[in-house]
Amino acid sequence: LGDVYKRQVLQVVLKEKLMGTASRSPSELEDVINTQCAKGYRLHTITTTSSGSKGLLGGDRVQATLVFESL
């Protein structure tokens, strides 16, 4: 039989507030990845989507979906 993988899916939202000030930085995304790796998972796939805010003084938003796997 083949290997059995345990998978975990996480979503992280990075958004910019007023005037492009990031409320979550790429280093915070790196922290999420490193935390999961410390638990024995490896990053399998990452996808991102972005959308702009339509509200007054709203910022852009990037949603990252991360799939980790472990044997």
Side-chain angles (χ1 to χ4, degrees):
L1 297 178
D3 293 330
V4 176
Y5 292 97
K6 179 179 178 185
R7 292 210 165 101
Q8 181 178 29
V9 177
L10 297 175
Q11 288 189 331
V12 178
V13 176
L14 308 172
K15 55 184 173 174
E16 292 184 345
K17 292 184 183 176
L18 312 167
M19 304 281 192
T21 304
S23 61
R24 284 199 153 188
S25 66
S27 65
E28 288 184 70
L29 182 59
E30 184 178 355
D31 290 343
V32 170
I33 294 169
N34 288 334
T35 297
Q36 294 308 308
C37 290
K39 293 178 182 179
Y41 288 93
R42 66 180 177 184
L43 182 61
H44 178 273
T45 307
I46 183 169
T47 59
T48 59
T49 57
S50 63
S51 64
S53 173
K54 294 180 181 173
L56 181 63
L57 299 176
D60 290 338
R61 177 181 174 132
V62 176
Q63 180 174 324
T65 302
L66 300 89
V67 178
F68 294 90
E69 67 181 7
S70 170
L71 284 176

